[in-house]
Amino acid sequence: MSYLVGPGRSNEHTAPMVVSGDDRVLIEFDPGQELSVADGQRIGAILDAPRRVHGTEVKAPVYGWDEAAQRKVKVAEKDGHVWHCSLSLAKGDREVSREEWGTIAQEFVERMGFIDPDGAKSSRWVAIHHGTSTAGNDHIHLAVQLVREDGTKANIHHDYHRAQQVCGELEKEHGLAVLESRQVARGLSGDKPAEVARAQSENYPQAPRPELRRRMRTALATASSPAQYIEHLRDLDVRVAPSFAKGSTTQVRGYKVALAGGADTIWYSPSKLDATLGWPNVLRRFGGAGKEQAESLLASWHNSARPEAGTLKVHRFDAAKIETLLSGKTGTGPDDLASIYARVSMQLEQGRPGAFSRLSDEYARAAQGGGNARHMVRLGARFAAKDSTRGWLAVLKQANRLSRAMTMHTLTAQRPQLAERTTALMHTVSSITRSQEPTRPTTPQTPRSGTLANRYTRPGPDTGIDR
């Protein structure tokens, strides 16, 4: 409660107020009344009364990774008597009044089963509004006491799934924008506050989840086999280890990843970061070829020494993938574009992820759910040349053209919210791409026979897409 009525992490909280809640809260605090920190503490005391009276303890498990068992195991417990969530509108959605927020909050807690019509098994709760988030989303926070009036514990089994269902119902009933990822039943995992804080303390470019996705997709864009993919992950300072089938220490069923260089190693399941990055989907990208070699390599890394963080090595695009893209052949889809833009992001905005990284994530979300042939061959040859600047630009410009076409003809009809975000990012990406174009000479030059020196100046080491 102190956080909800306080200034926020970036002083973004303005005029915190109650919009709805338990009757005991509303007796003392009128909806719309601006709250002080002392008011927040008083509301906390009201909500906490049943737990203090009955002495009921609610604990939540703390998990850690067991290397020997190759799975998460319970290592401790923490207090878990407060259930908290936020209900947020899409940026640009219609304005919702304080009164309507109150109605939405009341309907949400009732459908989640926190309110008992007879009162004895109800949980005390409150909904707080404190302005828009730093991303511009209007939202409210709900805090629910899990010790009910009779001292029993509220049921939060499958609460994430139930909350998504209830939100989908409320979005439709109140005429609000329906979250597309909920409609297609897929999305990308979001950041947790502790992970954002860790990224700042460990000096990561961004939170671990999106940074791992960026590096994994970069490795996919540069690999020609599953084994090369996991090798390239290591070159990108990603720790990789095998996941074994239950009861086995030899039968590889997948892999896990972590960012190198942190004080503690926190492993992530790739399929939980992005369903398309799970091991079966990685193998499928390469047509199933190289599975045995890759899994043998993974098994050899079991219990290997923890590497120190080093200089990231970003490999060249895989020539076969780029030939497909540049030749205009069918088969390049949102998944391929997500990997291409991730690779460009690691080249141009490695330490400060920007438009290319965000565009990669948008096409990764979409993946959850012609020209002159001889000229294309020449562009492919330029890509493989020692000076690959113009080749990379050709790759990028072709990806941009395909992105625009895909957005106009497919995403706009099937995923309008995603298409709107993608279109905005494409403007930025196109501007950056143009800024990387080789410059024309300002003074006459004598061309050497058989070269293009009369058409382009050779970019220096800190110009163009190679910088």
Side-chain angles (χ1 to χ4, degrees):
M1 285 305 306
S2 295
Y3 166 75
L4 295 182
V5 302
R9 295 185 178 90
S10 303
N11 292 316
E12 74 275 19
H13 295 175
T14 58
M17 67 180 73
V18 172
V19 294
S20 189
D22 184 84
D23 289 343
R24 299 163 188 81
V25 174
L26 299 182
I27 288 173
E28 294 192 33
F29 300 95
D30 294 328
Q33 172 188 338
E34 187 166 345
L35 303 172
S36 65
V37 173
D39 293 334
Q41 292 171 345
R42 172 57 187 155
I43 293 172
I46 294 173
L47 300 183
D48 206 31
R51 184 182 69 89
R52 288 185 282 107
V53 168
H54 295 286
T56 306
E57 289 189 347
V58 181
K59 297 293 183 180
V62 177
Y63 292 100
W65 184 261
D66 187 319
E67 285 289 345
Q70 285 294 299
R71 61 184 177 86
K72 287 183 177 179
V73 296
K74 180 179 174 181
V75 296
E77 288 185 331
K78 62 181 180 180
D79 287 334
H81 55 274
V82 177
W83 190 88
H84 167 256
C85 81
S86 61
L87 304 180
S88 179
L89 301 179
K91 185 178 180 180
D93 204 351
R94 71 172 179 84
E95 184 177 345
V96 172
S97 68
R98 173 180 58 78
E99 292 77 13
E100 188 174 7
W101 268 128
T103 301
I104 291 171
Q106 181 73 37
E107 292 173 343
F108 180 83
V109 294
E110 286 178 356
R111 297 184 195 188
M112 286 296 292
F114 292 125
I115 304 298
D116 174 21
D118 296 329
K121 294 188 179 300
S122 285
S123 293
R124 298 189 184 187
W125 66 282
V126 68
I128 301 291
H129 183 277
H130 52 203
T132 58
S133 67
T134 53
N137 305 87
D138 191 18
H139 64 288
I140 60 172
H141 288 264
L142 292 108
V144 180
Q145 170 59 257
L146 293 181
V147 178
R148 299 185 288 203
E149 292 298 326
D150 63 353
T152 59
K153 301 175 185 178
N155 177 21
I156 56 171
H157 186 59
H158 287 164
D159 55 339
Y160 283 17
H161 177 67
R162 289 190 287 130
Q164 290 295 322
Q165 286 185 318
V166 173
C167 284
E169 296 168 2
L170 293 173
E171 286 167 346
K172 294 175 182 176
E173 292 170 13
H174 288 265
L176 301 170
V178 178
L179 188 65
E180 286 177 349
S181 61
R182 186 181 299 118
Q183 289 181 308
V184 299
R186 285 190 177 183
L188 302 181
S189 63
D191 303 331
K192 297 181 179 179
E195 293 173 333
V196 175
R198 182 182 179 226
Q200 295 171 343
S201 64
E202 302 284 1
N203 202 29
Y204 293 145
Q206 56 184 332
R209 292 170 190 264
E211 184 61 18
L212 282 167
R213 282 195 295 265
R214 183 169 69 136
R215 298 187 191 189
M216 293 165 77
R217 286 198 167 275
T218 296
L220 281 173
T222 61
S224 59
S225 69
Q228 194 173 62
Y229 164 63
I230 58 177
E231 288 172 340
H232 287 188
L233 279 178
R234 277 198 159 187
D235 290 338
L236 291 166
D237 260 3
V238 175
R239 293 195 65 191
V240 184
S243 292
F244 295 112
K246 188 175 182 180
S248 171
T249 57
T250 57
Q251 184 183 348
V252 174
R253 65 175 178 83
Y255 69 124
K256 56 185 178 180
V257 293
L259 288 175
D264 299 306
T265 300
I266 299 179
W267 294 101
Y268 292 89
S269 168
S271 61
K272 297 295 178 62
L273 300 173
D274 176 340
T276 67
L277 296 177
W279 190 239
N281 285 318
V282 169
L283 296 175
R284 195 173 296 120
R285 285 178 174 89
F286 300 99
K291 177 178 182 291
E292 292 77 11
Q293 180 188 0
E295 292 184 350
S296 175
L297 182 60
L298 275 173
S300 71
W301 289 349
H302 180 48
N303 290 333
S304 59
R306 176 179 172 180
E308 295 294 329
T311 302
L312 274 65
K313 181 180 180 181
V314 182
H315 291 270
R316 294 176 181 271
F317 284 101
D318 173 56
K321 292 184 178 71
I322 298 311
E323 182 184 357
T324 300
L325 175 70
L326 293 178
S327 65
K329 297 176 183 176
T330 58
T332 300
D335 181 70
D336 305 281
L337 290 174
S339 298
I340 289 169
Y341 284 125
R343 166 62 181 75
V344 174
S345 173
M346 288 301 294
Q347 186 73 30
L348 290 181
E349 47 189 31
Q350 188 174 116
R352 297 186 65 182
F356 289 105
S357 178
R358 293 195 298 274
L359 195 56
S360 173
D361 265 354
E362 296 298 354
Y363 277 109
R365 290 186 177 93
Q368 307 287 318
N372 184 304
R374 292 181 65 184
H375 177 60
M376 292 303 177
V377 170
R378 290 197 298 272
L379 289 179
R382 287 180 189 173
F383 162 77
K386 183 177 180 180
D387 173 18
S388 56
T389 298
R390 287 189 292 275
W392 284 354
L393 278 174
V395 170
L396 186 53
K397 288 194 287 187
Q398 179 74 346
N400 290 349
R401 285 191 288 270
L402 184 56
S403 296
R404 284 190 290 270
M406 192 176 298
T407 299
M408 286 188 295
H409 298 301
T410 304
L411 294 184
T412 300
Q414 298 178 3
R415 303 283 299 275
Q417 295 172 17
L418 185 65
E420 183 179 358
R421 297 195 301 270
T422 301
T423 300
L425 285 169
M426 279 304 305
H427 289 304
T428 303
V429 163
S430 296
S431 297
I432 296 172
T433 304
R434 287 192 296 271
S435 73
Q436 303 298 320
E437 291 277 12
T439 57
R440 294 181 181 276
T442 56
T443 57
Q445 297 181 4
T446 303
R448 291 178 295 166
S449 175
T451 72
L452 293 176
N454 60 326
R455 295 177 57 192
Y456 298 102
T457 58
R458 184 181 179 87
D462 59 352
T463 63
I465 202 168
D466 268 329
R467 71 181 175 190

